[in-house]
Amino acid sequence: MTKNSNVKIIIALAILLLNNFNPLTKAGENNISFEYITSNNGLSQNAVYAIHQDKKGFLWFGTEDGLNRYDGYNFRIFKFQKNDSTSISNNWITAIKEDSYGYLWIGTKKGLNKFNPVTEEFISYLHSDKEGSISGDIISTIQIDKNGIIWIGTIGTGLNSFDRSKNTFSHYNYNESNSNSISDNSIFSLYEDHHGYLWIGTVNGGLNRFDLNTNTIKRYTHNADNKKGIPSGSVRFSFCYKSDKLLVGVQNSGLFLYDYSTEEFTLFEFAEKKNKVVPVKIRSYWLEDNDNKLWIGTLGEGLFFIDLESGEINHINDDAKLKSNLNNNTILSMLKDNTGTFWIGTSGGGANKLKNSFFHHFTRTANFNLSSKLVWCFYEDNNNIVWVGTGKGINLFDPNKRTVKKLIIGGDKSLFINNVAVWTIAKEPDKNIYWLGTSQGLVKYNRSKNTYKVFKNDESVSTSLSNNQVWKIFIDSSKRIWIGTDYGLNLYNSKGDNFKHYESLADSTSISSNLISDIIEDDLGNIWVGTTDNGISVLDKNGNVISGLSEYDGLTSDEIICMYNDNTGNVWIGTGSGFNEFDTKTKTIKQFGVNEGLPNECVYGFLEDNLGDLWITTNGGAAKYSKKK
């Protein structure tokens, strides 16, 4: 099978899906109606991680590729400009907050920014060795407390508070020997309650209660023996419910109530309902204070609308029966604007706009469709069947029969592996063994026997998988299996059925970052490890770090999205700010961006055809680069 045929198959799959996608449009079935604001309407990119309405009424959408200001008709897009120190520091927007002075505080994957709406200029705050700098550059959440103090949560580098008068940051980090420290350095959510507590939701360390008056911290971490304790999972949000309860959204566990007096956690009780579907894969929320209505956005399960008084729950997803339905089931952000319009930021469907609030539970019944519209990866097997990793398991596309069917691993549709996001697929050479990277661990799948084994992180076992978010699986020429996660690189040990860990230790002998985005092998057998925030590390055949590449060496960005080894032995590197060609013979780097004709500088993938031309996918479409001089 040639690389060129892979292009044809993927194009055929796309055409087939478009030709067969015909949602039913029976009138009167429901009274909900969505409008879609996407890149077709001027939005810079269709993954909307943050939505905010400022004091002037402008809507702000933070995407993977730029900050967007929307006046209801047109977009003004703000992006990083290399030679402009007043531009935003990075194009991947993660959080937006407005302070009492009218400044917008923008969190990105590379730094915190303060936007002046009068001058339309940004001040960037980046981590450095200088005392008082921000602790890290991957910003996950921002909260401004009642005293105007700005709190910044990061991934991997803890919590920060910003002192406006000194223009410096104070750091709050996990310390194993100090119980008055936060429980985890990776933070997903911040919330200030009426008691003067700052609640800190973490990725792996549960929930923390920070008393802003006494400057003390109490940890609520998962303990399997404590049935009234916080469940396992990342804490995506928390907020006060009535005066004595805190509602806590825990990813992969559900919605819980914390009692201030007993300090116990209990599962929120929903009203009895036949065939009830409840939110589990929680990602985002919006609370309507006046009528105790809660909206919960999920990872791949759509949107839930909950009456907190009665426990009634309604569900909406991307049901193909509906004429104007939700167009994506992964909900990243939400906002109700001052006109009462509800905005839903999705992962791939742009912003969905809803004007009314009646909800009903709908299910997908279209005759032809993928199990999810969110497609993460492709793999073509020896029988020319294309495996499609989606937001809800794997689909098998037969290009000859022009059919798509759901792969049911283990023979049971209800198994978690058939209902989770599959981000990467790899197959062992000469075996019918597939490795699947998912949002809930690593899966080894025996296709012949239809059996599987799941590998997950176990903090008590040092050789377990380092993290359950598996973004990349790569099998090298020596048949070694490398796994890239949200917390380090893993090498599978088949004899022990366990893993060797490669983690960032901030020295030249370790990998540059724990946030792994891609893994490839060059012609010399070296393993290249791309990260989302600190460039590339190169390992020799023995697994020793021998070199690295970063912006300092000439890369357009340290945010590595993809890499590709071409037929000449050169390595192509796609980033959020253009792509690079690394000449392995001369050790030189050539940069490419919009000035060289690229339609967009957010580069997702490369593929070389039989003529040696390079096909490049970006947020602005595909491009072909001819390497011939």
Side-chain angles (χ1 to χ4, degrees):
M1 182 62 58
T2 65
K3 292 178 179 177
N4 197 37
S5 62
N6 285 333
V7 178
K8 292 177 181 177
I9 285 176
I10 291 173
I11 291 173
L13 174 62
I15 292 172
L16 182 62
L17 293 174
L18 288 172
N19 287 342
N20 286 274
F21 182 68
N22 183 26
L24 302 178
T25 57
K26 188 182 294 183
E29 273 194 328
N30 64 88
N31 65 342
I32 63 169
S33 178
F34 286 96
E35 297 176 29
Y36 313 129
I37 307 297
T38 70
S39 55
N40 292 331
N41 308 103
L43 189 68
S44 64
Q45 200 265 350
N46 287 329
V48 181
Y49 283 81
I51 310 175
H52 174 77
Q53 185 172 34
D54 67 22
K55 295 175 181 178
K56 296 180 179 179
F58 290 114
L59 286 170
W60 294 81
F61 300 97
T63 76
E64 287 183 13
D65 191 29
L67 177 67
N68 299 250
R69 187 181 68 195
Y70 183 55
D71 63 7
Y73 301 96
N74 300 300
F75 284 96
R76 168 87 159 88
I77 299 171
F78 299 88
K79 288 190 177 186
F80 169 70
Q81 304 293 331
K82 184 176 295 185
N83 298 319
D84 184 359
S85 62
T86 65
S87 70
I88 196 166
S89 62
N90 185 261
N91 291 334
W92 192 315
I93 313 301
T94 57
I96 307 171
K97 285 286 184 180
E98 186 174 8
D99 64 23
S100 59
Y101 302 98
Y103 294 111
L104 291 184
W105 293 84
I106 316 294
T108 76
K109 285 256 183 153
K110 189 175 181 180
L112 176 71
N113 297 260
K114 183 173 79 169
F115 176 73
N116 186 326
V118 177
T119 63
E120 296 195 345
E121 294 179 338
F122 295 85
I123 297 175
S124 300
Y125 299 90
L126 301 172
H127 173 68
S128 71
D129 295 332
K130 184 179 178 182
E131 185 177 353
S133 79
I134 196 167
S135 66
D137 288 336
I138 306 178
I139 311 301
S140 55
T141 183
I142 302 170
Q143 176 71 28
I144 302 176
D145 70 20
K146 62 184 179 182
N147 295 318
I149 296 174
I150 300 168
W151 297 87
I152 305 101
T154 72
I155 297 297
T157 54
L159 176 68
N160 296 258
S161 64
F162 180 65
D163 188 321
R164 294 173 186 264
S165 62
K166 297 179 181 178
N167 208 39
T168 59
F169 295 85
S170 296
H171 305 158
Y172 303 84
N173 298 99
Y174 168 69
N175 186 333
E176 185 176 3
S177 60
N178 182 5
S179 60
N180 195 44
S181 66
I182 60 175
S183 60
D184 184 19
N185 281 331
S186 290
I187 296 168
F188 268 159
S189 63
L190 295 171
Y191 171 76
E192 183 190 17
D193 69 12
H194 59 282
H195 297 290
Y197 296 139
L198 182 70
W199 293 89
I200 306 163
T202 73
V203 176
N204 294 310
L207 185 64
N208 295 254
R209 189 185 72 191
F210 187 178
D211 190 323
L212 299 179
N213 297 314
T214 63
N215 207 38
T216 56
I217 294 172
K218 180 164 186 178
R219 302 173 179 173
Y220 297 89
T221 56
H222 175 62
N223 181 346
D225 295 328
N226 182 6
K227 302 305 180 183
K228 294 294 185 178
I230 194 167
S232 63
S234 302
V235 178
R236 284 292 187 172
F237 64 76
S238 60
F239 62 86
C240 277
Y241 173 55
K242 298 184 177 179
S243 60
D244 59 345
K245 298 289 192 298
L246 191 78
L247 267 171
V248 183
V250 184
Q251 185 176 320
N252 297 327
S253 288
L255 186 64
F256 290 79
L257 278 171
Y258 166 84
D259 189 303
Y260 277 91
S261 59
T262 64
E263 298 191 66
E264 294 178 342
F265 293 83
T266 55
L267 186 66
F268 183 86
E269 293 185 5
F270 295 100
E272 289 297 324
K273 184 177 180 181
K274 187 178 180 180
N275 300 323
K276 176 176 61 182
V277 178
V278 300
V280 175
K281 301 174 185 177
I282 291 172
R283 175 61 171 81
S284 54
Y285 85 101
W286 183 263
L287 177 67
E288 297 190 30
D289 295 316
N290 294 334
D291 49 5
N292 288 313
K293 300 298 189 296
L294 174 67
W295 308 63
I296 293 181
T298 68
L299 295 168
E301 295 177 337
L303 187 65
F304 291 82
F305 182 62
I306 302 165
D307 186 316
L308 296 175
E309 291 294 322
S310 66
E312 287 291 329
I313 182 170
N314 290 282
H315 179 211
I316 185 167
N317 58 15
D318 59 351
D319 192 329
K321 287 195 304 182
L322 303 180
K323 181 178 181 180
S324 186
N325 53 297
L326 195 68
N327 71 356
N328 190 283
N329 273 339
T330 292
I331 313 300
L332 302 176
S333 55
M334 290 182 276
L335 171 81
K336 190 171 185 179
D337 68 21
N338 55 21
T339 69
T341 299
F342 195 60
W343 296 86
I344 302 157
T346 72
S347 177
N352 286 220
K353 179 181 176 183
L354 176 65
K355 288 189 175 181
N356 40 16
S357 58
F358 173 81
F359 277 84
H360 185 66
H361 181 198
F362 305 99
T363 55
R364 182 188 300 278
T365 59
N367 292 328
F368 186 95
N369 215 332
L370 292 174
S371 56
S372 170
K373 292 180 183 178
L374 191 62
V375 175
W376 288 106
C377 61
F378 295 101
Y379 178 84
E380 183 186 2
D381 67 22
N382 295 332
N383 298 316
N384 297 347
I385 301 298
V386 179
W387 295 46
V388 186
T390 77
K392 195 174 182 180
I394 294 174
N395 292 251
L396 302 176
F397 169 62
D398 188 328
N400 296 316
K401 297 180 180 179
R402 294 170 63 84
T403 58
V404 173
K405 69 177 182 179
K406 178 74 178 286
L407 174 65
I408 307 300
I409 294 175
D412 185 350
K413 293 180 181 180
S414 67
L415 291 174
F416 92 95
I417 183 55
N418 297 315
N419 297 282
V420 296
V422 178
W423 288 324
T424 178
I425 303 171
K427 180 181 178 295
E428 290 191 35
D430 307 320
K431 294 182 181 179
N432 209 14
I433 304 295
Y434 290 81
W435 291 81
L436 316 174
T438 80
S439 57
Q440 295 183 36
L442 176 69
V443 178
K444 182 180 181 181
Y445 174 53
N446 187 317
R447 177 68 167 142
S448 301
K449 299 179 180 179
N450 198 26
T451 58
Y452 71 99
K453 179 175 182 178
V454 181
F455 298 89
K456 290 193 174 186
N457 173 253
D458 184 341
E459 293 182 359
S460 65
V461 181
S462 61
T463 57
S464 70
L465 190 69
S466 65
N467 185 270
N468 292 334
Q469 306 279 351
V470 179
W471 291 105
K472 181 67 179 181
I473 302 170
F474 179 75
I475 302 177
D476 66 21
S477 58
S478 299
K479 301 181 181 179
R480 297 179 298 179
I481 301 170
W482 299 85
I483 301 100
T485 75
D486 259 357
Y487 194 82
L489 177 69
N490 298 254
L491 178 61
Y492 177 65
N493 174 18
S494 58
K495 293 181 180 179
D497 203 27
N498 54 25
F499 302 89
K500 178 181 179 180
H501 298 168
Y502 294 82
E503 295 180 1
S504 176
L505 302 174
D507 60 42
S508 60
T509 64
S510 66
I511 59 176
S512 61
S513 169
N514 287 326
L515 297 169
I516 312 300
S517 56
D518 200 10
I519 309 168
I520 65 166
E521 182 179 14
D522 66 21
D523 286 359
L524 299 177
N526 297 320
I527 301 299
W528 291 55
V529 182
T531 72
T532 63
D533 65 323
N534 204 18
I536 297 168
S537 296
V538 182
L539 285 63
D540 64 16
K541 294 180 179 179
N542 298 318
N544 299 313
V545 175
I546 56 174
S547 62
L549 289 175
S550 66
E551 292 179 9
Y552 179 82
D553 302 296
L555 292 182
T556 54
S557 171
D558 284 337
E559 179 194 342
I560 309 302
I561 297 176
C562 59
M563 299 181 291
Y564 185 81
N565 183 31
D566 72 13
N567 60 16
T568 69
N570 287 346
V571 176
W572 298 79
I573 303 157
T575 78
S577 302
F579 70 94
N580 309 260
E581 179 187 14
F582 179 77
D583 190 311
T584 53
K585 298 181 180 64
T586 64
K587 311 297 182 185
T588 56
I589 296 174
K590 186 183 294 185
Q591 298 182 348
F592 299 85
V594 293
N595 292 335
E596 288 71 37
L598 195 66
N600 183 276
E601 292 193 341
C602 194
V603 176
Y604 287 118
F606 301 99
L607 189 63
E608 191 173 15
D609 63 23
N610 292 339
L611 299 176
D613 292 331
L614 202 66
W615 292 81
I616 305 154
T617 55
T618 78
N619 267 339
K624 183 178 79 170
Y625 174 69
S626 178
K627 295 184 288 182
K628 298 174 183 178
K629 306 298 181 183

